[in-house]
Amino acid sequence: MSFQIRPLSDALGAEITGIDVSRPLDESTFAAIHEAHLAHLVLVFRDQQLTPQQQIDFSQRFGPLDVHPSQGKAHLEGYPDILVISTKRENGRDVGIRNAGPKWHSDLAYRERPALGSMLYALELPDRGGDTGFANMYKAYDALPADLKRAVDGKRALFHSTRSSIDARHPIIRTHPETGQKSIFVNPQLTTGIEGMDAAEGDALLNMIYFHNTRRTFIYWHQWKPGDLVFWDNRCVQHIADHTRLDDPDYIRHMHRTTIAGDVPF
Ligand code: SIN
């Protein structure tokens, strides 16, 4: 099966058209998608019509799925592997997580094995707003000023979940297990400090890195279209959701996310 790939920005990201991922994919098609994902870091599969099980099946081609700590209360009924990210309310209760990804982060960074990647499928979208930003952490590492590179060299950071008490320690600079490229792994949503540094010193260094990480040239903002399935590589990409309309009652954004389990960062 052939498909088309079109880069979406100079930072990262490519649009994939001409493929229906709800159908079983042969090995060579899967290998081409895998290669495109490693090259572009974020893939946007357009015009998909996926049942929850089809999203799970496609996600599992990349590895076993991980369960988000919020999935206990925010999973899709009957599908524990699907996390619901939604502004909808039913019977006075949120049907999923309303405010996922309020700051730059990579998914499950507070786990011993953070996520390999996540797939987010758009089911209902607002007329405006609700974009998702993606930042290329390979580019951020490559452009990191030499003094900051020296300051973080060989250091580990502490990570903590805001939704559970899980925490972990990981290298500030990690090496991608498949491409061998280095990227910056610390993020303002889930990193809480630097091992062996006092809080003020660690925070000062982290804030300089966060400022650097969000240079415009590293970022692509995705404006969602109905039927988009977006697959990002958490090992070298950070993301953030635009929540500026979260309190607007007319703002409906409803999505299903699957999360693919990853390795221990090194
Ligand atoms: C997330 O952090 O997984 C949510 C991203 C989004 O809702 O755009």
Side-chain angles (χ1 to χ4, degrees):
M1 200 186 296
S2 67
F3 56 86
Q4 294 75 50
I5 306 178
R6 183 179 70 88
L8 288 164
S9 77
D10 289 339
L12 82 179
E15 175 188 77
I16 306 287
T17 50
I19 191 163
D20 174 358
V21 303
S22 73
R23 299 161 70 96
L25 302 175
D26 59 54
E27 283 306 321
S28 69
T29 305
F30 175 72
I33 292 174
H34 184 201
E35 194 183 314
H37 192 237
L38 293 177
H40 296 282
L41 322 191
V42 175
L43 297 182
V44 177
F45 297 90
R46 298 284 194 198
D47 306 318
Q48 301 301 311
Q49 285 202 335
L50 296 175
T51 64
Q53 191 57 50
Q54 287 165 338
Q55 181 175 349
I56 290 170
D57 291 344
F58 180 54
S59 305
Q60 282 177 333
R61 289 295 299 262
F62 296 87
L65 302 190
D66 217 329
V67 177
H68 191 279
S70 299
Q71 248 154 280
K73 51 182 182 346
H75 73 265
L76 183 66
E77 203 177 334
Y79 297 94
D81 288 326
I82 295 216
L83 176 68
V84 179
I85 292 179
S86 181
T87 60
K88 283 187 171 182
R89 287 175 73 76
E90 276 169 15
N91 305 320
R93 297 176 56 180
D94 291 338
V95 304
I97 303 183
R98 269 185 89 68
N99 63 342
K103 294 184 186 173
W104 288 101
H105 68 288
S106 52
D107 294 321
L108 308 186
Y110 47 82
R111 288 262 175 88
E112 193 194 344
R113 293 169 180 269
L116 176 157
S118 305
M119 288 197 193
L120 192 57
Y121 178 48
L123 290 157
E124 283 181 64
L125 292 170
D127 55 348
R128 65 196 155 76
D131 300 350
T132 305
F134 294 98
N136 183 332
M137 291 298 110
Y138 291 145
K139 280 188 186 284
Y141 172 75
D142 290 344
L144 195 63
D147 58 333
L148 282 181
K149 257 189 194 156
R150 266 194 309 276
V152 298
D153 187 38
K155 289 205 164 49
R156 284 151 58 91
L158 317 175
F159 294 80
H160 188 85
S161 162
T162 48
R163 296 178 202 270
S164 72
S165 58
I166 305 170
D167 52 16
R169 288 158 197 245
H170 298 303
I172 294 176
I173 307 301
R174 71 178 288 188
T175 303
H176 195 289
E178 295 186 83
T179 66
Q181 285 177 263
K182 289 184 174 179
S183 66
I184 298 177
F185 196 59
V186 283
N187 68 72
Q189 184 169 305
L190 303 170
T191 306
T192 53
I194 296 182
E195 200 176 55
M197 278 193 180
D198 70 41
E201 196 188 3
D203 286 352
L205 184 51
L206 288 170
N207 285 332
M208 281 190 271
I209 297 172
Y210 300 154
F211 184 72
H212 167 82
N213 283 355
T214 50
R215 271 166 53 176
R216 250 203 329 210
T217 49
F218 307 150
I219 295 175
Y220 160 67
W221 276 97
H222 184 62
Q223 290 182 329
W224 292 85
K225 291 186 183 164
D228 279 355
L229 173 73
V230 177
F231 177 27
W232 61 87
D233 188 334
N234 274 295
R235 302 165 294 185
C236 52
V237 173
Q238 292 186 14
H239 61 283
I240 188 170
D242 161 31
H243 285 319
T244 46
R245 289 188 63 203
L246 211 55
D247 296 329
D248 177 345
D250 295 332
Y251 177 70
I252 299 295
R253 184 180 187 267
H254 185 73
M255 302 192 166
H256 284 173
R257 194 181 99 183
T258 40
T259 310
I260 298 141
D263 304 313
V264 176
F266 58 90

